[in-house]
Amino acid sequence: QVQLVQSGGGLVQTGGSLRLSCAASGSIFSINGMGWYRQAPGKQRELVAGITSSGSTNYADFVKGRFTISRDNAKNTAYLQMSSLKPEDTAVYYCNAAVATDYSGRLSGYWGQGTQVTVSS
């Protein structure tokens, strides 16, 4: 069993910053990609940023230059540093990880519990 526990988030004014964390624990053999998604009311969940086990990153166009994804492999933790926040960034943010639980390397996807980010205008 693998758990992803998120922390951070909250209410911030336009232009402010927040940092999200996502810590994985449980029966982890290895973690491949990790990512952050968000879902605004009435909209589909969308990818915000992803990071591979070697540290390669990719970002959605709407956060490039404002958000930074990182990870600490020793702590099985991913982070999302969000800066220059806009009201349209308001959403529930979810972390995701592709985890192998044994030596077979077969990956399964896991989700965090979600955390609300609200940006006031």
Side-chain angles (χ1 to χ4, degrees):
Q1 191 77 339
V2 174
Q3 299 83 36
L4 299 185
V5 177
Q6 299 178 216
S7 59
L11 174 64
V12 66
Q13 292 185 332
T14 296
S17 298
L18 286 173
R19 188 193 196 207
L20 305 181
S21 299
C22 172
S25 63
S27 302
I28 298 171
F29 181 80
S30 63
I31 301 178
N32 197 341
M34 300 185 78
W36 289 95
Y37 292 73
R38 71 186 188 186
Q39 187 166 19
K43 294 187 177 181
Q44 290 188 330
R45 191 173 298 188
E46 59 186 358
L47 175 67
V48 174
I51 185 167
T52 68
S53 56
S54 60
S56 296
T57 60
N58 65 284
Y59 296 92
D61 286 343
F62 51 78
V63 302
K64 282 182 179 177
R66 301 188 298 122
F67 291 10
T68 302
I69 188 172
S70 61
R71 65 190 283 175
D72 184 333
N73 289 333
K75 296 182 179 180
N76 290 333
T77 299
Y79 305 94
L80 185 68
Q81 178 67 47
M82 304 182 291
S83 303
S84 301
L85 284 161
K86 306 174 182 179
E88 50 264 44
D89 294 318
T90 295
V92 178
Y93 285 70
Y94 297 90
C95 67
N96 175 272
V99 180
T101 56
D102 57 39
Y103 64 88
S104 73
R106 182 171 63 91
L107 298 173
S108 296
Y110 295 87
W111 291 94
Q113 80 275 19
T115 186
Q116 179 70 44
V117 171
T118 302
V119 184
S120 63
S121 57

